[in-house]
Amino acid sequence: MRVLVLTKPFGDLPPGELAEQLAEAGADGADLLVRDGQTVTPDTSWRMAETAKALHCNGLELGQVSTDLISADSESERVIGHCAEAGVSQVRVGFYRYDAELDYTAGLDRARRDLASLANLAARHGVRLVLALHHGTLHPSAAHASLLLDGREDVLVHPDPGNQAKEGGEHWRLTLDVLGGLDRVGCVGVKNAVWEPDGAPGSWNCRWQPLADGGVVPWATILPGLQELGYTGPFSLHVHYPADDPLAAVRRDLGYLRGLRSGPFQSRPFRSEPFRSEPGTAPPAR
């Protein structure tokens, strides 16, 4: 099991320090977030090679770069070009947001055109794009992502049961079946969340919490299920909840994730199960 760590909680650490912290946490590599306030930003994408070198010197890989890019422009050309120069083969694109005030069909058509332009740009650099399943977008589920991809085979998909739980959840096997199997999966996002009362009567809120504390996503079922199906691609661990010590938070969640791989449930016969809440957590909103 290859576990990358999304670098978001480490902020703008210099490449060497970032690599040392990820190595100390026990990661196999980085899912490098390119965003303002991070080690590499859109304006400093030339630091990609330096970051890749620092990771390699610490025995780690730069397994994926995550961006906010959604169409082909000068920034996309620069960032993806530097990714290619650094040996990055996979780039996660940004989010095509859903706007209830706009016409859905028109928004979907525009997103398709933007994604096509970005995919063509990436192909020129020998880089493959990955589309994450994400709440609040035109691609929160496998079915919606398939509509956006519109038959494109050059873009992989990044299932993320934690993100999907924010919109009520989707059975992980259904996700794979709709996408067409593991060949369409570029990476799997790993995080967990809980639903809790949100003050007003009948109102609920879904918030991120440490993976090691459980939540509504049944990773003890999903992880061995993916392994039994033969998934060999990377996982990307996300620490989105507040953490005073990012290194300690990542180390704890990473240890928990690796423990699931070797836990006693491994010997259970595989069976398909829906999302279930851990004891003491609220069910997803319907």
Side-chain angles (χ1 to χ4, degrees):
M1 180 172 64
R2 291 160 51 216
V3 184
L4 312 175
V5 170
L6 183 68
T7 57
K8 181 179 179 179
F10 294 99
D12 60 356
L13 283 180
E17 291 184 32
L18 175 65
E20 289 172 1
Q21 294 234 348
L22 291 177
E24 186 176 344
D28 295 310
D31 179 352
L32 182 70
L33 180 62
V34 175
R35 185 177 290 170
D36 289 344
Q38 295 289 307
T39 299
V40 178
T41 72
D43 290 334
T44 64
S45 57
W46 50 268
R47 299 187 76 184
M48 198 83 65
E50 178 188 356
T51 304
K53 182 178 179 180
L55 289 165
H56 293 157
C57 288
N58 282 271
L60 307 178
E61 65 170 320
L62 180 47
Q64 180 170 275
V65 168
S66 289
T67 72
D68 294 319
L69 305 176
I70 57 172
S71 63
D73 56 20
S74 58
E75 180 177 288
S76 301
E77 181 78 48
R78 182 175 64 252
V79 171
I80 291 178
H82 284 136
C83 285
E85 292 172 7
V88 177
S89 61
Q90 190 166 290
V91 172
R92 195 187 84 183
V93 302
F95 308 128
Y96 299 92
R97 298 289 182 181
Y98 169 66
D99 187 342
E101 301 301 317
L102 300 178
D103 178 73
Y104 168 76
T105 301
L108 181 63
D109 288 344
R110 180 176 61 188
R112 284 172 176 165
R113 291 193 298 270
D114 287 345
L115 179 59
S117 71
L118 191 59
N120 292 335
L121 186 159
R124 293 199 298 272
H125 288 281
V127 173
R128 196 159 191 189
L129 300 185
V130 183
L131 177 73
L133 303 185
H134 199 282
H135 50 95
T137 69
L138 292 168
H139 42 98
S141 68
H144 285 93
S146 295
L147 290 174
L148 173 58
L149 292 172
D150 195 24
R152 298 196 69 94
E153 297 294 329
D154 54 348
V155 178
L156 297 173
V157 181
H158 185 298
D160 191 316
N163 284 342
Q164 292 165 267
K166 285 243 178 180
E167 296 208 2
E170 181 177 69
H171 194 297
W172 68 273
R173 279 299 302 271
L174 176 61
T175 295
L176 295 182
D177 289 344
V178 172
L179 292 176
L182 292 173
D183 289 344
R184 291 308 304 276
V185 177
C187 187
V188 176
V190 181
K191 61 174 75 76
N192 218 329
V194 293
W195 285 88
E196 59 188 6
D198 194 26
S203 177
W204 293 78
N205 177 58
C206 188
R207 66 167 175 82
W208 304 124
Q209 77 165 14
L211 181 71
D213 292 343
V216 299
V217 182
W219 285 107
T221 296
I222 297 174
L223 185 62
L226 285 170
Q227 292 173 324
E228 185 167 337
L229 289 175
Y231 179 67
T232 58
F235 294 86
S236 178
L237 177 66
H238 299 180
V239 172
H240 287 337
Y241 55 88
D244 293 333
D245 186 343
L247 173 58
V250 169
R251 183 193 291 120
R252 180 171 181 255
D253 280 353
L254 188 55
Y256 175 81
L257 181 61
R258 294 200 189 282
L260 288 180
R261 184 189 180 200
S262 58
F265 60 84
Q266 282 275 96
S267 61
R268 297 177 188 169
F270 168 74
R271 69 176 188 269
S272 181
E273 293 182 1
F275 284 114
R276 288 208 179 103
S277 301
E278 297 288 339
T281 64
R286 296 297 181 187

